[in-house]
Amino acid sequence: MKKKIIVLCLCVFLLSGCTIVRIDTSSIDNIVDVVLSKDNTIYNRVGIGYKYYVPRGVTYIDSTGANDKLYSNGVYYYLYLDEVGYYYKVSQKYKEDDSKYYSRKLDNGYLEITKEQDKYLVEFVYNYAKIEALVPEDEINDVVLNASYILSTIKYNKDVIKLSLTDDFLQNQEEKYEEFTSKKESDSFLRYEEE
């Protein structure tokens, strides 16, 4: 009886579980279609007014405002977040160009790869954000895969963005301090000394 229960439990355990989706990384079209079609809600990087997922193997380097610098396999990724475009729902206009190495219009952006001397400039715009990277030809698919994950997971906080668009957001009130100047008047002491 115990053997039947154990076998039954093992069968249930093995037959149910997570589904693994393997992405064919030999085709840029396939990478983009598979990753962008997922509803990604994970994140591990948070900024002012936004959050996103940095995939394994990609390292966060630095941030200045809504611009982040990432690194992976000798390639620097430059992520630009268009919070103003997101807030006002500005649509992207792009026309595919056959003279480029790769050019594709997406629902909410585009992917364009241009040959620049011996490297390739990857410009990936999606979800009111843009990733740029200058890569050798053999790294193009990896960069597109990582950029797809990053861009598809970006989530904006509309309330924080609205606050940051106001004129007085994080405005400092300056006050001039003078080190050796007393705020109290010491006239009475000087008069007493003179008398």
Side-chain angles (χ1 to χ4, degrees), residues 5-158:
I5 292 174
I6 292 173
V7 170
L8 183 62
C9 288
L10 285 173
C11 286
V12 168
F13 179 73
L14 292 174
L15 295 176
S16 66
C18 299
T19 304
I20 297 174
V21 177
R22 295 211 179 259
I23 300 173
D24 177 19
T25 58
S26 63
S27 165
I28 295 174
D29 287 327
N30 190 46
I31 293 169
V32 172
D33 291 340
V34 170
V35 175
L36 296 184
S37 68
K38 293 181 180 183
D39 184 28
N40 295 315
T41 57
I42 57 175
Y43 64 93
N44 58 8
R45 170 84 187 108
V46 178
I48 297 175
Y50 63 92
K51 60 185 175 182
Y52 62 89
Y53 175 71
V54 178
R56 184 177 296 155
V58 178
T59 306
Y60 167 79
I61 301 289
D62 191 20
S63 180
T64 53
N67 301 327
D68 290 358
K69 185 176 180 181
L70 308 166
Y71 177 82
S72 175
N73 254 1
V75 175
Y76 288 97
Y77 298 70
Y78 298 94
L79 172 64
Y80 309 100
L81 294 128
D82 184 13
E83 295 173 338
V84 175
Y86 168 77
Y87 186 76
Y88 292 107
K89 301 296 182 204
V90 176
S91 62
Q92 286 288 330
K93 292 176 178 64
Y94 180 76
K95 185 178 178 186
E96 293 182 4
D97 186 358
D98 293 334
S99 67
K100 305 287 184 179
Y101 177 82
Y102 183 87
S103 177
R104 180 175 173 192
K105 185 176 180 357
L106 303 169
D107 290 338
N108 191 11
Y110 64 89
L111 174 59
E112 182 175 273
I113 303 171
T114 309
K115 186 169 183 171
E116 302 271 332
Q117 296 166 359
D118 61 335
K119 293 196 177 188
Y120 293 83
L121 176 65
V122 177
E123 293 180 70
F124 199 158
V125 176
Y126 185 76
N127 198 15
Y128 300 102
K130 179 179 187 178
I131 289 184
E132 290 183 345
L134 193 60
V135 301
E137 187 173 13
D138 60 331
E139 293 287 327
I140 290 174
N141 290 357
D142 291 336
V143 169
V144 170
L145 179 64
N146 290 332
S148 298
Y149 275 115
I150 294 168
L151 294 174
S152 69
T153 59
I154 294 175
K155 302 288 183 248
Y156 295 97
N157 186 330
K158 192 167 189 165

